[in-house]
């Protein structure tokens, strides 16, 4: 016993316990499972972010070959050092767990997620084999191709492949670009992109555009907003919900959803009756303002006539729910501003919208002379650097190209539309036209981003062969038969031909800042490989050794310049001042283009569903903290999402407390949200800033694919809404859908 | 072998009954140990604490057991310093309860910190400005003192006492016990106070913050005072509970009544000071920071004004009134009610000063945050209770804890 | 003499955040996460357990439709000066694991010394301090994005915004190598300031008249959070909206009616 006690005392007095205590604490500071980022040479590489069409310049901080941080590129004309949270989390996409590590071939049933890695050679051979059958069977037009964008060399290669293959079915993802392009074509005769000179405007009137929620080039719009704050520019937001854009605006006008065009027409009414319009522009550079006599001798009412007859402030107030006095005041303020600018396209602009409304807003700009002028709207010419030789088409291709497009765009019913991608699924499911036998999907995730998600999946299911070029295991890729993963933007060389909404032509070069992480391959190279493997006239249309060669040849002398400085800004169309000739037949701005007889107007687009079974209306809202496009959110972004948007796996839908009380929906209660298109479990969030009678749901959640950091959270809004066709253009103009909320 | 260990002149229950009791308490203890190991190996994500509730059930339990353990220092103070000699008949038990309370507090702290293996940094990198540093030093020292005070009792065990070395050690320790009692009283005064200081110095937490003298906020003194007043009440409560369980009278009424009387007057003084403090805080301190008193109470379902009424009125004024009257002390029912209420009151005070303080939003755009402990937190908090029960059972069985027991319960042979 | 000079050189780094410009986008939060190796978990929707050094609060004026108003308020650590550097959190830390640096005014945090008692969290009224409830874990391969300038924290310790102190260190190193003792305003900027797409955050030395924050903090639109508690925060906010400025502190009823 004494020995034991002595031993204990001895040990206690020896340095041993102290040493052990110290060692243990040091151990807690060096836990082997806590990563230690290695040091190394630090470099900064400039490139372009392509995660959205914003076109921001980025500056990537690297430690050895590791991408550690992505920052905005100082001095860049779009973002001047700023960056959005998606751009800032690019490294998470690069290293994230949803990356596809190499070409995959489906085994087992579609969507089961069982894959077999294959070699690039075998994968390309497989595509060529499957596509070759279509050509030899004389039905090359049954090949479809879905792209995010149709501009730049990579979409150019896909487009070229389809042409020489013999299919007219190249489709671009829908957005307000569709509608704005038609607007510019109708009213200015221009094949152009819309550009908004937000740097120089002093009064922004936004018809529901989320000008700081991702509309246009997101960071560029943020910077413009701050400039207005510095210099006293004014912003008015017209929208039924107190969005961030509404909250940041000087005035928020809560309008009945879907009636924005009526307000635009009403504002024109006041501007015309009070003679506040730009007399020089209207009298010398416009047509169709006054009534005219057409070729058949009939009197055609001019814009002025129609506005004066129909859209009195009182009438507009009745339609929109905005007080007549507010309509008058807003019209005066807008017209009296030095450089007013009206913009439209709801939220982030993913749904095209109705053409009449866009033209009404464009007419409002025209009234104030804000066309092709500092602070106004510009028709930015299409990039013109791609001048490839005309490919030769064999007979199969020529016959195939004569087929009408499956989506009906450019057809007899909708001659104006270039793409009607939103309807593809409905057409396929209804068995109209001919069946698609193969589909290439690149740069987007239609199974997630297209409306009526259920229909889209069903349609995809009916296509026997789907090839995905995605870098990520997204919803569409999960339904593919073959996956040919692209490098992500940080690993690849590619031209970036536009920055959405930017008022000057801008060409940029995205370059590899780090070596590819996985066995991925540039889609440009893969298209060339496929063409080669198809042989014949298809192969001869692609003479380039590699995509890089193709790009260098295409850009010519500008390639090296872009490698050095990332971007090149074009001079735009002519000098400031609206003296650029319009490309219409008259050479003037057309309020109503006589060729098409489409007019700026308010034609109510009803929300789908009957009011009796669906007493509420569901509308979407966009938030910068969630990406709703081809790229899913990053783990950092999901982390930054408020708990008033996502809680656990539940999405929160906003509802005015007054409406909520009516339906007995307590704050935080779980409810079942039904629309004619689907149903979903949601959590109720009382929000005073939403118009009574509406339910608002954030977009960008509800991914069923991806990893556990971003998938399986909330509801995909696109699953609950379907397209509603604008009778004039054929474009999807849905702004909301009727809905019902029941407690569960 | 058992009978050889049991003190002379007392009767104990059969071994099987004792073993059963220990086994039941032991099962609870094991449950707590399991939860403790979960917390150590998996981390504090096992709790329902969060970034708004960095202090929760455990810190409350710490503050509460230390306040309740205050019976040891204050009884010691009365016995050795003031010279209330009768209290020697209850001092052993007071010391034992104190020992249990303080060792429990240290154990809970060792689970509560995020990096237990580094907790000695509190001594090594001590920050003299921190109340927690003061708490850590005094608490550890006082725990040493309690161990020294408890040791002679252990040495009085019949078997141990047979070893001459231990016999002499125990004998000599008894002689110098007054020195330790004085040291203990001093240390206790400070660490009870610094525990009060913990919330009192948080000048950016208007609910807890109190003005004061020099570096000490009023809560410093209030905590010491309340521990001195309520600690002995807890000693009496446990004594009464032990008597109930054993079915024997263990301490004479005059001893209990003396302690109760002193407690009663301490409690009276304390509760007057507490009311004054509350009024000053509500009328001056809080408004100077932009708060009405009712901002701290009215906005949620749990922390209503009732909690203040319960703490100060029902568990403060009422027991004080009972204990300062002869009739109140003589009547066993009112006596027990008063000491239990007083013990509850001090616990409630500690709860409010820890948990309500964190629940009250300070930023105007934040909301109240309420918290419910996880089972792991509850289990680890019950662990010391089980451990205390076992230690009391063992001590009572084998040590002469109650000197008056043989006299009050003569063994018929 | 030397002592006087040193004191004159003392910096008081601080921030001015223009809430009229801030859009609540959260870029600052994410840039901070990327810069400072902040971990992420599969479910981050319990904001009381989530670690973000810069949280963007959503404030509402509480009025019914259509008079509702919303304002976003990004909240980094205030780097409180307190009384003589006794910021609420620094004076309470028993292990001196957090410190007020008299020369920069930055409140530091030594993760390897912190033993996780969380007293500092109780002391901070801004909910700036966050505890590592879990071991930080990065999915396979994702630890490649970790920044070697900032140490990864272990489970069981408290962390908070450091004003990107490592950037100060890097800038100072560079300046020393070039034989300078002073930094230009642009040489030391925090990650959130740099990222903010709205340019809403301005960072610099509040004591230096040449820095933008020196002028901005005197704006009639300026206010600080919880000024009446005596924390003396070094983060200022600008808002032209009265209700927002009101929301920065607690006011008694009679004080509110005055405005
Ligand atoms: N237990 C434990 N202790 C440690 C460590 C550990 O791992 N475990 N790590 C050790 C290591 S590696 C270090 S570097 C230290 C860091 O620990 P300390 O040096 O004690 O403290 P830090 O907060 O890291 O930063 C240094 C202090 O100086 C201030 N400071 C910052 N820049 C300057 C400057 O330019 N000039 C001056 N004069 N002051 C400046 C900071 O605000 C801070 O107060 O901690 C050491 N201590
Ligand atoms: N935000 C913020 N960032 C900081 C600082 C700050 O105060 N705040 N302080 C800066 C300072 S002063 C310093 S020194 C750095 C410290 O940053 P680091 O250099 O990252 O070092 P520590 O912070 O000490 O982190 C200890 C890590 O080192 C690893 N480690 C320890 N011993 C060994 C070893 O023998 N081998 C290997 N391979 N790994 C080992 C452990 O895994 C542990 O995770 O952080 C800097 N960055
Ligand atoms: S706005 Fe678009 S382009 Fe710019 S950084 Fe964000 S994702 Fe990239
Ligand atoms: S990044 Fe800028 S605009 Fe966005 S939330 Fe932060 S401070 Fe506000
Ligand atoms: S804000 Fe909080 S953590 Fe930061 S210095 Fe102030 S008290 Fe400390
Ligand atoms: S948690 Fe860490 S930093 Fe905070 S008080 Fe405790 S030891 Fe200090
Ligand atoms: S200053 Fe640095 S550490 Fe603090 S919030 Fe900003 S980025 Fe994060
Ligand atoms: Mo260091």
């Amino acid at each position: 016993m004494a020995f034991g006690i002595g031993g204990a005392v001895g040990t206690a007095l020896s340095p041993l316990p102290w040493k052990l205590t110290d060692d243990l604490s040091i151990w807690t500071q060096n836990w082997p499972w806590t990563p230690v980022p290695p040091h190394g040479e630090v470099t900064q590489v400039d490139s372009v972010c392509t995660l959205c069409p914003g076109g921001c310049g980025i500056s990537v901080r690297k430690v050895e070959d590791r991408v550690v941080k992505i920052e905005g590129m100082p001095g860049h004309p779009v973002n001047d050092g700023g960056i959005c949270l998606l751009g800032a989390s690019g490294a998470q996409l690069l290293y994230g767990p949803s990356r596809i590590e190499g070409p995959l071939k489906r085994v087992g049933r579609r969507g089961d997620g069982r894959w077999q890695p294959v070699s690039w050679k075998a994968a390309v051979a497989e595509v060529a084999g499957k596509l070759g059958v279509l050509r030899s069977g004389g039905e090359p037009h049954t090949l479809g191709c879905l792209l995010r964008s149709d501009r730049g060399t990579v979409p150019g290669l896909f487009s070229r492949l389809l042409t020489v293959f013999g299919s007219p079915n190249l489709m671009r993802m829908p957005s307000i670009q569709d509608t704005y392009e038609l607007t510019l074509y109708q009213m200015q005769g221009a094949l152009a992109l819309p550009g908004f000179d937000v740097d120089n405007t002093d009064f922004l009137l936004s018809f529901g555009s989320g000008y700081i929620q991702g509309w246009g080039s997101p960071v560029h719009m943020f910077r413009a907003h701050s400039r207005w704050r510095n210099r006293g520019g004014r912003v008015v937001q017209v929208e039924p919900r107190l969005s961030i854009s509404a909250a940041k605006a000087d005035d928020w006008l809560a309008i009945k959803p879907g009636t924005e065009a009526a307000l635009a027409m009403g504002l024109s009414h006041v501007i015309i009756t009070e003679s506040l319009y730009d007399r020089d522009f209207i009298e010398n550079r416009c047509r169709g303002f006054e009534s005219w006599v057409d070729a058949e001798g009939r009197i055609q009412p001019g814009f002025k006539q129609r506005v004066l007859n129909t859209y009195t402030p009182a009438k507009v107030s009745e339609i929109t729910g905005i007080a007549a006095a507010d309509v008058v005041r807003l019209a005066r303020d807008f017209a009296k501003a030095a450089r007013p600018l009206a913009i439209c396209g709801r939220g982030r602009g993913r749904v095209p919208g109705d053409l009449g409304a866009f033209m009404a807003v464009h007419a409002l700009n025209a009234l104030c002379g804000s066309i092709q002028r500092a602070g106004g709207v510009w028709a930015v010419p299409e990039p013109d650097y791609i001048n490839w030789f005309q490919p030769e088409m064999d007979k199969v291709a020529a016959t195939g190209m004569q087929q009408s497009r499956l989506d009906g765009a450019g057809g007899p019913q909708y001659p104006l539309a270039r793409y009607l991608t939103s309807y593809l699924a409905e057409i396929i499911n209804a068995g109209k036209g001919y069946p698609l036998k193969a589909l290439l999907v690149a740069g987007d995730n239609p199974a997630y981003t297209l409306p009526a998600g259920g229909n889209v999946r069903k349609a995809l299911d009916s296509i026997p062969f789907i090839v995905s070029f995605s870098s990520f295991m997204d919803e569409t890729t999960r339904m593919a038969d073959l996956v040919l993963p692209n490098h992500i933007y940080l690993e690849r060389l590619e031209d970036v031909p536009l920055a959405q909404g930017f008022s000057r032509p801008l060409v940029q070069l995205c370059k590899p800042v780090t070596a590819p992480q996985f066995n991925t391959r540039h889609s440009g190279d893969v298209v060339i490989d496929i063409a080669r493997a198809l042989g014949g006239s298809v192969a001869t249309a692609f003479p380039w050794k590699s995509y890089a060669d193709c790009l260098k040849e295409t850009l010519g002398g500008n390639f090296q310049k872009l490698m050095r400085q990332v971007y090149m800004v074009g001079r735009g169309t002519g000098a400031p001042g609206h003296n650029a000739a319009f490309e219409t037949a008259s050479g003037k701005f057309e309020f109503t283009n006589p060729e098409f007889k489409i007019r700026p107007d308010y034609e109510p687009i009803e929300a789908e569903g009957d009011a009796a079974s669906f007493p509420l209306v569901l509308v979407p809202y966009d938030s910068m903290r969630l990406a709703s496009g081809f790229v899913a959110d990053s783990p950092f972004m999901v982390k930054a999402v408020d708990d008033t948007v996502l809680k656990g796996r539940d999405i929160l839908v906003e509802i005015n407390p007054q409406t909520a009380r009516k339906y007995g929906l307590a704050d935080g209660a779980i409810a079942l949200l039904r629309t004619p298109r689907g149903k979903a479990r949601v959590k109720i969030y009382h929000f005073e800033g939403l118009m009574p009678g509406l339910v608002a749901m954030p977009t960008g959640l509800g991914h069923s694919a991806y990893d556990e950091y971003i998938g399986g959270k909330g509801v995909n809004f696109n699953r609950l809404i379907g397209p509603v066709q604008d009778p004039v253009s054929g474009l999807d103009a849905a702004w909301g859908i009727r809905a019902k909320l029941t407690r569960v | 072998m058992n009978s050889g260990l049991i003190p002379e002149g007392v009767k104990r229950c059969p071994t099987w009954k004792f073993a059963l009791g220990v086994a039941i308490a032991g099962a609870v203890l094991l449950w707590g140990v399991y939860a403790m190991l979960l917390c150590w190996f998996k981390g504090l994500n096992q709790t329902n604490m969060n970034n708004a509730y960095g202090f929760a059930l455990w810190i409350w339990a710490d503050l509460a057991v230390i306040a309740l353990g205050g019976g040891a220092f204050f009884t010691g103070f009365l016995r050795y310093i003031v010279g209330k000699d009768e209290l020697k008949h209850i001092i052993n038990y007071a010391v034992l309860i104190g020992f249990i309370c303080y060792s429990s507090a240290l154990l809970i702290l060792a689970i509560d910190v995020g990096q237990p293996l580094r907790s000695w940094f509190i001594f090594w990198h001590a920050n003299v400005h921190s109340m927690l540093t003061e708490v850590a030093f005094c608490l550890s020292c006082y725990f040493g003192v309690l161990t020294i005070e408890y040791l002679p009792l252990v040495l009085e065990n019949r078997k141990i006492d047979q070893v001459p070395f231990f016999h002499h050690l125990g004998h000599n320790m008894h002689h110098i016990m007054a020195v330790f009692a004085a040291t203990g009283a001093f240390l206790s005064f400070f660490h009870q106070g610094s525990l009060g200081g913990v919330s009192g110095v948080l000048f950016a937490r208007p609910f807890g913050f109190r003005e004061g003298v020099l570096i000490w906020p009023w809560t410093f003194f209030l905590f010491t005072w309340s521990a001195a007043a309520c600690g002995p009440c807890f000693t009496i409560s446990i004594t009464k509970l032990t008597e109930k369980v054993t079915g024997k009278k263990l301490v004479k009424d005059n001893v209990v009544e003396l302690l109760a009387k002193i407690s009663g007057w301490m409690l009276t003084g304390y509760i007057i000071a507490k009311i004054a403090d509350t009024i000053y805080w509500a009328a001056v301190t809080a408004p100077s920071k932009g708060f009405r008193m009712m901002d701290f109470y009215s906005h949620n379902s749990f922390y209503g004004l009732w909690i203040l009424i319960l703490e100060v009125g029902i568990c403060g004024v009422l027991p004080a009134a009972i204990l300062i009257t002869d009739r109140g002390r003589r009547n066993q029912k009112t006596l027990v009610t008063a000491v239990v209420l007083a013990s509850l009151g001090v616990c409630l005070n500690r709860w409010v000063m820890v948990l309500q303080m964190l629940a009250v939003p300070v930023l105007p755009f934040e909301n109240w945050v309420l918290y419910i402990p996880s089972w792991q937190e509850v289990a680890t908090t019950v662990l010391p209770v089980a451990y205390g029960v076992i230690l009391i059972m063992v001590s009572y069985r084998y040590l002469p804890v109650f000197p008056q027991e043989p006299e009050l319960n003569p063994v018929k042979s | 003499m030397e002592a006087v000079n040193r004191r004159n050189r003392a910096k008081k780094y601080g921030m001015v955040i223009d809430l009229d410009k801030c859009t609540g986008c959260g870029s600052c939060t994410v840039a901070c996460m990327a810069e400072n190796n902040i971990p992420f978990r599969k479910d981050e929707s319990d904001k009381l357990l989530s670690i973000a050094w810069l949280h963007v609060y959503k404030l509402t004026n509480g009025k019914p439709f259509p008079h509702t108003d919303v304002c976003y308020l990004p909240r980094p650590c205030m780097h409180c000066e307190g009384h003589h550097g006794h910021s609420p959190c620094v004076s309470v830390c028993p292990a001196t694991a957090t410190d007020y640096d008299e020369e920069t005014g930055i409140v530091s945090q030594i993760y390897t010394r912190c033993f996780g008692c969380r007293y500092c969290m109780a002391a901070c009224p801004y909910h700036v301090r966050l505890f590592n409830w879990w071991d930080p874990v990065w999915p396979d391969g994702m630890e490649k994005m970790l920044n070697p300038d900032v140490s990864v924290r272990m489970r069981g310790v408290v962390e908070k915004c450091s004003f990107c102190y490592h950037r100060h260190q890097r800038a100072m190193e560079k300046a020393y190598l070039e034989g300078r003792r002073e930094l230009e305003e642009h040489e030391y900027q925090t990650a959130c300031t740099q990222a903010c797409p709205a340019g809403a955050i301005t960072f610099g030395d509040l004591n230096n008249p040449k820095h933008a924050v020196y002028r901005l903090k005197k704006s009639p639109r300026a206010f600080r959070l919880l000024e009446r508690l005596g924390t003396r925060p070094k983060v200022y906010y600008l808002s032209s909206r009265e209700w927002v400025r009101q929301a920065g502190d607690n006011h008694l009823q009679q004080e509110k009616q005055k405005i």
Side-chain angles (χ1 to χ4, degrees), chain C residues 100-228:
Chain C
Y100 186 87
D101 175 33
E102 294 290 350
E103 268 180 52
T104 56
I106 292 173
V107 176
S108 68
Q109 177 75 12
I110 310 176
Y111 317 116
T112 44
R113 183 179 294 173
C114 170
F115 67 99
C117 71
R118 304 183 300 285
Y119 193 13
C120 53
M121 294 171 74
C124 172
Y126 304 101
H127 284 157
V128 156
R129 293 182 158 268
L130 307 160
F131 187 74
N132 281 274
W133 301 100
W134 286 271
D135 269 310
V137 178
W138 279 264
D140 241 6
M142 238 162 155
E143 68 286 348
K144 279 190 190 163
M145 61 178 285
L146 293 176
N147 177 4
D149 288 348
V150 180
S151 56
V152 170
R153 283 74 64 188
M154 60 291 292
R155 178 231 284 170
V157 302
V158 162
E159 62 182 73
K160 67 159 193 82
C161 154
S162 66
F163 266 177
C164 292
Y165 185 67
H166 58 286
R167 288 185 170 217
H168 182 263
Q169 287 175 318
R170 268 195 181 268
M172 286 303 280
E173 273 167 28
K174 187 164 163 285
Y176 268 61
L177 286 176
E178 293 167 5
R180 290 179 292 128
R181 290 287 182 271
E182 295 290 323
L183 295 178
E184 295 292 322
E185 186 179 12
H186 68 87
E187 285 184 290
Y188 170 35
Q189 288 294 322
T190 66
C192 52
T193 306
Q194 184 189 33
C196 175
I201 310 178
T202 314
F203 181 79
D205 178 6
L206 296 166
N207 281 346
N208 188 337
K210 284 188 282 186
H211 287 199
V213 287
Y214 183 86
R215 178 179 51 82
L216 287 172
K217 71 169 192 235
K218 295 178 179 169
S219 159
R221 292 188 295 142
F223 66 100
R224 292 182 290 176
L225 295 181
L226 303 174
E227 274 190 82
R228 38 198 320 181

Side-chain angles (χ1 to χ4, degrees), chain A residues 371-413:
Chain A
I371 307 285
Q372 305 294 114
R373 184 180 76 172
V377 188
W378 289 79
V380 180
E382 298 263 5
D384 59 356
Y385 56 86
I386 303 180
N387 294 302
W388 295 332
F389 69 94
Q390 199 64 37
E392 225 165 284
M393 287 161 68
D394 61 11
K395 239 182 81 197
V396 182
T399 328
M401 283 303 281
Q402 246 131 60
Q403 293 277 344
S404 56
R405 286 176 62 92
L406 191 57
D407 65 1
Q413 202 179 355

Side-chain angles (χ1 to χ4, degrees), chain C residues 36-106:
Chain C
N36 291 297
N37 297 337
I38 292 177
F40 47 89
R41 294 168 45 73
K42 284 169 186 162
D43 182 0
E44 290 277 4
S45 68
D46 187 339
K47 298 303 170 191
L48 293 172
L49 294 173
S50 182
I51 295 181
W53 288 3
L54 194 164
H55 177 70
V56 182
Y57 282 92
K58 183 181 179 183
L59 279 54
T60 45
N61 68 349
K63 292 193 180 160
F65 183 90
H67 306 291
T68 322
D69 199 3
V70 163
C71 179
Y72 285 86
L73 185 142
R75 189 246 40 216
C77 172
M78 303 283 128
H79 293 271
C80 304
E81 218 175 336
H83 340 283
H84 315 291
H86 285 282
S87 45
C89 54
V90 167
S91 50
V92 300
C93 173
T96 333
T98 178
D99 173 47
Y100 186 87
D101 175 33
E102 294 290 350
E103 268 180 52
T104 56
I106 292 173

Side-chain angles (χ1 to χ4, degrees), chain A residues 467-620:
Chain A
V467 183
S468 168
F469 291 77
S470 177
S471 313
F472 304 100
M473 192 44 82
D474 55 35
E475 284 81 357
T476 311
T477 306
R478 277 174 55 146
M479 300 195 64
D481 302 279
L482 198 63
V483 189
L484 310 177
N486 197 358
H487 304 318
I488 82 157
Y489 71 117
L490 298 169
E491 304 162 323
R492 74 174 186 247
L493 184 70
E494 191 171 330
D495 54 322
V496 182
L498 71 134
Q500 185 168 281
F502 194 68
S503 58
R504 285 169 293 165
L506 180 70
V507 178
Q508 310 194 70
L509 192 64
C510 158
K511 54 191 177 187
V513 298
T514 185
Q517 296 298 303
F518 304 109
N519 180 24
T520 52
R521 189 163 162 78
H522 199 299
S523 292
D525 281 316
V526 178
V527 172
I528 295 174
D529 292 346
I530 292 171
R532 273 225 198 92
L534 282 166
S537 59
V538 177
T540 49
F542 295 82
W544 304 283
K545 276 211 298 290
S546 68
Y547 169 73
D549 270 359
C550 167
L551 182 66
K552 278 180 206 159
E553 186 193 305
T554 308
L555 289 171
N558 288 334
F559 179 78
Q560 285 309 327
K561 204 165 162 191
L562 282 168
M563 280 300 279
R564 273 197 311 278
Q565 67 187 45
V566 175
Y567 62 90
M568 284 169 63
V569 187
R571 261 194 304 276
T573 41
H578 35 61
N579 51 3
F582 294 111
E583 296 165 50
T584 48
S586 61
K588 290 187 171 180
F589 182 92
E590 293 280 3
F591 275 97
T592 303
N593 194 320
E595 205 184 324
F596 307 107
K597 300 209 172 65
I598 298 172
R599 312 180 297 196
D601 210 345
Y602 164 64
E603 292 285 352
I605 301 273
E606 299 297 338
E608 182 181 351
D610 72 296
S613 346
F614 299 102
L616 300 167
V617 175
L618 173 69
V619 293

